[in-house]
């Protein structure tokens, strides 16, 4: 590469437009004749490379803005290196390389990333390019990679164990938590190195399972922590090049299907507080980041990992949005959990939270997230949060799951909730796999698998997730009896599902339901079915409407509502 080309790359890096800074920064082997090293240290007086813990080589400053570079002729692949940074306050700090491709014992390792792994997912990636996730079902299994099972010691073992489990359960996607904890381009080394993770993702793609990763906010903290309304100092353009390149790296080299960015409020608002005002620099930074990554990798999903009190989060940047494809609706889940944790007889005072949540669903493209954040502060297992004895707790949990899978929005379930994890969530523990020995948990898992199967089969439950035309409230003024109901419609309006939720312990034998469509309806799921551990208060045969006005609808249907249960009906004829 000639000097003009190098200068052009350096200029792009400093003005925030370099999308492949991973080819500049870090270490790179040079035709078996050594390696180059490059690092951005804007405040350093001197930077040196330490090779294999012994030899120290001073680097050359190749730009006034803080790029340091060195070529060493005798460096080999898998050599270990670190940077020795001399600061302006006369301190020396040893650092690993945040753009290293591999690591060993918290030290960076020279690696030829281009020859690291031979992929086999070309057909999968070609299909992904022409797919439309908006019209497809999405059920994400959120996984903490280090404590799903303590016996698993490698990404290969994880692939062999979890992929058949995901297929059996019916999940379409997996999100890997705690993956990036060493550097921006590095997978968690506890289960192996980069090529091992590539193998895992490749095997997931072989079985048509999408893989999402979390990109931690900790990488952004140094950029935004000192910016306040009173001190709105400029964000270095170099950070744009760094973060655009980091996200692009995971798309290009690890073939990830989606990236979740979290704690975005800390970027959009000064010090993460809406009352402090909008950080316009942060807003521009975020929009540029998402827009550039979406342009480079249009078939990779960008997910906002929190409910942001900001408009158009899931609109394109050119439409004045933030450029994300989806947004976690943590506020919905928080409201719903607060509702379900209340004693059933008092839930009527919280029923308005069910209605308000729908406003967010149609204003943004959302993922309903029963996520780790629900357990990060209060680590109590979900079933322990449900009121009543164990029978009632399972009833409530089945009801909650039924609501999640029938309400508009894509779905995310944190690991263990598919079989009603009992022990509280702690990082040092694996999931309660022994619970599969007990019938109550086996039956609950059967219910969740049935829900997932139903969700994937019924277009009305996923095709029109974010279209108001795909949802009709039947009874939303339900404060007195805490029964609420709604209709889900497919995009062509031909497939009709009716969902009725009874959040009280009362049995209604002839509950009158107003409907906008006449015809016969068949119960396709009832959470009280004996196959799921219920008391079997079900509706058998075809239920037929009568032409009698009720709750503002032209037709009326009578049905049995089980206590603390959900009933799903499908129109089978007109």
């Amino acid at each position: 590469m000639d000097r003009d080309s190098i200068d052009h790359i350096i200029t792009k890096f400093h003005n925030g437009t370099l999308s492949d800074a991973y080819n500049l920064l870090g270490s790179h082997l040079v035709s078996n004749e050594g390696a180059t090293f490059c690092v951005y240290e804007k405040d350093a007086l001197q930077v040196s490379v330490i090779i294999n813990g012994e030899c120290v080589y001073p680097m050359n400053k190749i730009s006034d803005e803080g790029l340091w570079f060195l070529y060493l002729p005798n460096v080999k692949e898998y050599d270990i290196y670190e940077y020795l940074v001399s600061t302006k306050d006369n301190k020396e700090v040893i650092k690993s390389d945040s753009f290293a491709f591999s690591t060993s014992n918290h030290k960076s390792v020279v690696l030829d990333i281009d020859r690291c792994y031979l992929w086999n997912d070309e057909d999968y990636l070609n299909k992904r390019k022409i797919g439309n996730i908006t019209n497809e079902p999405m059920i994400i299994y959120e996984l903490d990679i280090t404590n799903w099972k303590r016996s698993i010691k490698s990404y290969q073992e994880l692939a062999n164990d979890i992929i058949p489990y995901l297929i059996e359960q019916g999940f379409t996607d997996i999100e890997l938590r705690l993956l990036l904890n060493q550097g921006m381009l590095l997978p968690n080394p506890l289960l192996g190195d980069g090529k091992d993770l590539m193998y895992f993702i490749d095997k997931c793609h072989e079985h048509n399972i999408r893989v999402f990763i979390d990109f931690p906010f900790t990488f952004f903290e140094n950029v935004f922590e000192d910016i306040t309304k009173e001190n709105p100092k400029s964000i270095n353009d170099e950070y744009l090049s760094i973060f655009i390149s980091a996200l692009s790296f995971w798309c290009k080299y690890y073939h990830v299907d989606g990236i979740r960015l979290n704690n975005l409020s800390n970027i959009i608002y000064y010090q993460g507080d809406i009352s402090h005002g909008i950080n316009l620099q942060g807003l521009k930074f975020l929009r540029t980041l998402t827009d550039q990554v979406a342009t480079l990798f249009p078939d990779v999903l960008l997910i906002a990992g929190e409910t942001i009190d900001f408009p158009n989060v899931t609109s394109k940047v050119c439409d004045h949005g933030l450029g994300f494809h989806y947004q976690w609706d943590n506020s919905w889940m928080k409201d719903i959990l607060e509702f379900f944790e209340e004693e059933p007889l008092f839930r009527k005072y919280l029923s308005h939270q069910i209605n308000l949540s729908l406003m967010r669903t149609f204003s943004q493209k959302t993922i309903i997230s029963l996520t780790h954040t629900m357990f990060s502060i209060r680590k109590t297992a979900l079933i322990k949060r449900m009121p009543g004895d164990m029978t009632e707790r399972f009833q409530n949990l089945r009801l909650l799951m039924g609501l999640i899978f029938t309400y508009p929005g894509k779905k995310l379930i944190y690991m263990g909730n598919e079989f009603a994890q009992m022990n509280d969530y702690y990082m040092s523990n694996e999931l309660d796999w022994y619970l599969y020995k007990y019938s109550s948990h086996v039956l609950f898992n059967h219910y969740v698998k049935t829900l997932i199967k139903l969700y994937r089969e019924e277009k009305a439950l996923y095709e029109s997730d974010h279209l108001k035309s795909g949802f009709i409230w039947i009874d939303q003024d339900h404060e007195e009896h805490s029964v609420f109901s709604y209709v889900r419609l497919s995009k062509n309006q031909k497939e009709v599902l009716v969902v009725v939720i009874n959040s009280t312990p009362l049995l209604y034998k002839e509950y009158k339901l107003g409907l906008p469509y006449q015809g016969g309806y068949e119960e396709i799921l009832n959470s009280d079915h004996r196959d799921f551990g219920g008391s079997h208060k079900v509706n058998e045969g075809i239920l037929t409407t009568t032409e009698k006005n009720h709750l503002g609808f032209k037709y009326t249907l009578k049905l049995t509502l089980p206590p603390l249960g959900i009933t799903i009906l499908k129109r089978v004829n007109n």
Side-chain angles (χ1 to χ4, degrees):
M1 186 179 296
D2 58 39
R3 182 64 200 183
D4 288 342
S5 298
I6 294 173
D7 287 344
H8 179 64
I9 291 171
I10 292 173
T11 299
K12 289 184 68 176
F13 174 75
H14 286 305
N15 66 24
T17 60
L18 186 62
S19 61
D20 59 349
Y22 46 79
N23 288 326
L24 172 67
L25 301 176
S27 65
H28 297 272
L29 291 169
V30 182
S31 302
N32 297 319
E33 297 179 359
T36 61
F37 297 86
C38 187
V39 64
Y40 175 59
E41 287 288 346
K42 61 185 178 68
D43 296 322
L45 290 178
Q46 178 63 53
V47 181
S48 302
V49 183
I50 305 173
I51 301 296
N52 295 323
E54 299 174 351
C55 302
V56 181
Y57 302 93
M59 301 180 74
N60 302 309
K61 192 173 185 179
I62 59 173
S63 71
D64 293 338
E65 294 86 353
L67 269 179
W68 299 80
F69 180 87
L70 185 65
Y71 165 71
L72 291 175
N74 298 316
V75 173
K76 305 180 297 299
E77 189 169 20
Y78 307 118
D79 277 351
I80 294 172
Y81 71 98
E82 295 171 288
Y83 293 123
L84 176 63
V85 180
S86 301
T87 65
K88 292 179 180 179
D89 54 358
N90 297 318
K91 293 181 180 179
E92 290 190 335
V93 181
I94 295 178
K95 295 182 177 181
S96 60
D97 188 351
S98 62
F99 259 57
F101 298 142
S102 185
T103 184
S104 176
N105 297 321
H106 301 283
K107 298 180 180 180
S108 304
V109 176
V110 178
L111 179 71
D112 186 351
I113 191 72
D114 292 299
R115 302 170 65 180
C116 170
Y117 182 79
L118 181 62
W119 287 86
N120 301 291
D121 63 348
E122 183 178 358
D123 289 344
Y124 172 89
L125 295 179
N126 288 333
K127 290 178 183 177
R128 190 179 76 180
K129 289 178 182 177
I130 61 175
N132 184 359
I133 188 60
T134 304
N135 298 329
E136 298 175 11
M138 178 192 287
I139 318 109
I140 306 167
Y141 189 74
E142 190 184 23
L143 176 76
D144 286 352
I145 62 172
T146 57
N147 63 336
W148 190 62
K149 287 184 179 179
R150 287 293 173 182
S151 60
I152 290 178
K153 303 299 182 184
S154 70
Y155 288 110
Q156 289 93 335
E157 290 180 9
L158 183 63
N160 295 337
D161 205 56
I162 200 170
I163 290 176
Y165 185 79
L166 294 174
I167 294 171
E168 179 206 357
Q169 298 292 316
F171 290 95
T172 59
D173 307 76
I174 184 170
E175 181 166 328
L176 305 177
R177 287 197 66 246
L178 308 178
L179 185 68
L180 282 71
N181 67 348
Q182 298 282 316
M184 291 186 188
L185 312 183
L186 289 172
N188 191 318
L190 290 178
L191 296 183
D193 58 17
K195 68 178 181 296
D196 299 321
L197 176 61
M198 292 174 183
Y199 170 85
F200 173 83
I201 295 174
D202 205 10
K203 297 301 289 185
C204 286
H205 287 173
E206 181 183 325
H207 294 88
N208 294 308
I209 297 171
R210 291 180 290 255
V211 179
F212 301 156
I213 65 168
D214 286 358
F215 195 82
F217 177 76
T218 51
F219 293 138
F220 295 98
E221 282 181 328
N222 292 336
V223 182
F224 294 95
E225 63 181 353
D226 294 330
I227 298 178
T228 65
K229 192 171 185 178
E230 294 73 26
N231 180 30
K233 66 178 186 179
S234 298
I235 298 171
N236 288 11
D237 289 333
E238 290 85 357
Y239 288 124
L240 258 179
S241 292
I242 287 171
F243 288 115
I244 292 171
S245 299
L247 298 186
S248 298
F249 177 86
W250 283 97
C251 299
K252 178 179 179 179
Y253 284 98
Y254 283 92
H255 295 194
V256 297
D257 301 281
I259 301 174
R260 182 178 75 91
L261 302 178
N262 53 26
N263 295 100
L264 298 176
S265 296
N266 290 279
I267 299 176
I268 296 173
Y269 301 112
Y270 288 114
Q271 298 174 305
D273 190 334
I274 189 173
S275 66
H276 291 178
I278 296 174
N279 179 356
L280 294 178
Q281 289 188 77
L283 197 59
K284 180 182 178 182
F285 177 96
L286 189 58
R287 282 176 166 156
T288 305
L289 176 65
T290 57
D291 189 51
Q292 288 298 307
V293 175
T295 300
L296 293 166
F297 301 94
D299 54 337
V300 174
L301 297 180
L302 295 177
I303 300 169
E306 62 187 294
T307 303
I308 310 169
D309 190 8
F310 198 85
N312 303 321
V313 173
T314 57
S315 297
K316 294 181 179 179
V317 172
C318 61
D319 296 326
H320 309 289
L322 292 187
F324 289 94
H325 297 92
Y326 286 95
Q327 174 185 19
W328 275 15
D329 196 345
N330 294 352
S331 293
W332 187 91
M333 203 67 251
K334 179 178 177 293
D335 291 344
I336 296 305
L337 285 181
E338 185 178 340
F339 178 85
F340 273 89
E341 289 172 11
E342 184 58 82
E343 289 290 340
L345 294 179
F346 299 105
R347 284 175 176 167
K348 60 184 180 180
Y349 302 114
L350 298 175
S351 59
H352 63 281
Q353 296 180 180
I354 306 293
N355 299 335
L356 291 174
S357 63
L358 199 64
M359 296 172 61
R360 291 189 296 270
T361 298
F362 294 137
S363 63
Q364 313 279 6
K365 292 181 180 178
T366 58
I367 297 175
I368 295 176
S369 306
L370 184 56
T371 172
H372 71 279
T373 58
M374 304 300 162
F375 308 97
S376 58
I377 298 176
R378 183 182 174 189
K379 300 183 183 296
T380 309
L382 196 58
I383 193 166
K384 290 183 179 179
R385 302 188 191 186
M386 301 294 105
D389 57 25
M390 284 308 296
T391 297
E392 291 169 331
R393 287 183 176 184
F394 272 106
Q395 285 178 312
N396 276 297
L397 200 53
R398 290 196 298 269
L399 183 60
L400 171 60
M401 284 293 184
L403 175 60
I404 289 173
F405 278 94
T406 58
Y407 216 66
K410 305 305 184 186
K411 323 297 176 188
L412 180 143
I413 304 296
Y414 186 50
M415 62 179 196
N417 286 300
E418 74 276 12
F419 60 83
Q421 165 88 7
M422 286 290 291
N423 282 326
D424 297 341
Y425 284 94
Y426 294 99
M427 294 306 300
S428 58
N429 297 335
E430 69 172 15
L431 296 182
D432 297 338
W433 296 108
Y434 67 88
L435 292 176
Y436 273 115
K437 296 178 181 179
Y438 298 96
S439 61
S440 56
H441 293 270
V442 172
L443 293 173
F444 179 79
N445 179 246
H446 176 52
Y447 171 69
V448 172
K449 287 192 291 186
T450 303
L451 267 176
I452 292 176
K453 183 173 183 292
L454 182 71
Y455 168 74
R456 294 182 65 169
E457 290 177 348
E458 297 294 340
K459 292 181 179 180
L461 292 178
Y462 63 80
E463 263 193 349
S464 304
D465 265 335
H466 309 294
L467 301 175
K468 291 184 178 180
S469 58
F471 184 94
I472 302 172
W473 272 116
I474 297 174
D475 183 8
Q476 63 183 113
D477 187 19
H478 41 252
E479 290 188 5
E480 285 305 314
H481 42 71
S482 292
V483 174
F484 47 98
S485 48
Y486 44 88
V487 176
R488 296 295 310 274
L489 299 163
S490 60
K491 186 168 285 188
N492 62 12
Q493 306 280 297
K494 293 181 179 180
E495 296 184 25
V496 180
L497 298 184
V498 176
V499 181
V500 189
I501 292 176
N502 178 14
S503 61
T504 75
L506 303 176
L507 170 66
Y508 295 95
K509 291 187 176 181
E510 290 194 345
Y511 186 83
K512 292 173 65 177
L513 188 70
L515 285 178
Y517 305 103
Q518 68 173 338
Y521 289 81
E522 181 181 12
E523 185 175 78
I524 58 174
L525 185 136
N526 187 318
S527 63
D528 198 49
H529 197 284
R530 65 167 64 94
D531 289 349
F532 308 137
S535 58
H536 208 66
K537 302 298 187 294
V538 299
N539 296 277
E540 297 178 338
I542 304 299
L543 308 179
T544 305
T545 59
T546 58
E547 192 169 340
K548 186 176 181 180
N549 189 288
H550 184 64
L551 292 177
F553 294 101
K554 188 176 180 180
Y555 306 101
T556 299
L557 189 72
K558 290 184 179 180
L559 70 158
T560 296
L561 291 188
L564 296 173
I566 182 170
T567 297
I568 305 176
L569 308 172
K570 183 175 183 177
R571 188 169 71 154
V572 292
N573 60 63
N574 299 334

